[in-house]
Amino acid sequence: MVIFKCIDCNKTDEDPEYIIGEFSVDFKKSEEVEIHCPHCNSITKEQEIPQVINFHLGCDKAR
């Protein structure tokens, strides 16, 4: 899923990646997909999601 955030109301909407791929077929690499907000009909842009590193302390120790 790809999360889009509205530039006006700041609400988010999740869309499947294959839908985004359909929208971006004719786009250049520098162009962004913009989708209408389902809440206020403004423009949503893809939200950057920071990668979360999941690690446990001591997981490399033999038990």
Side-chain angles (χ1 to χ4, degrees):
M1 295 297 268
V2 179
I3 298 175
F4 282 80
K5 186 174 183 178
C6 180
I7 61 173
D8 288 332
C9 72
N10 290 320
K11 291 185 179 179
T12 58
D13 185 41
E14 292 184 7
D15 294 294
E17 288 184 35
Y18 72 89
I19 297 290
I20 308 310
E22 293 290 322
F23 284 126
S24 60
V25 168
D26 297 326
F27 282 18
K28 297 175 185 157
K29 288 192 177 205
S30 61
E31 292 182 297
E32 283 186 70
V33 173
E34 295 180 348
I35 299 175
H36 287 278
C37 177
H39 306 285
C40 72
N41 206 34
S42 184
I43 300 293
T44 63
K45 294 192 175 194
E46 188 173 343
Q47 181 72 33
E48 294 293 325
I49 306 295
Q51 291 286 11
V52 176
I53 299 172
N54 188 9
F55 65 93
H56 300 284
L57 295 176
C59 65
D60 59 337
K61 295 179 183 176
R63 292 180 184 231

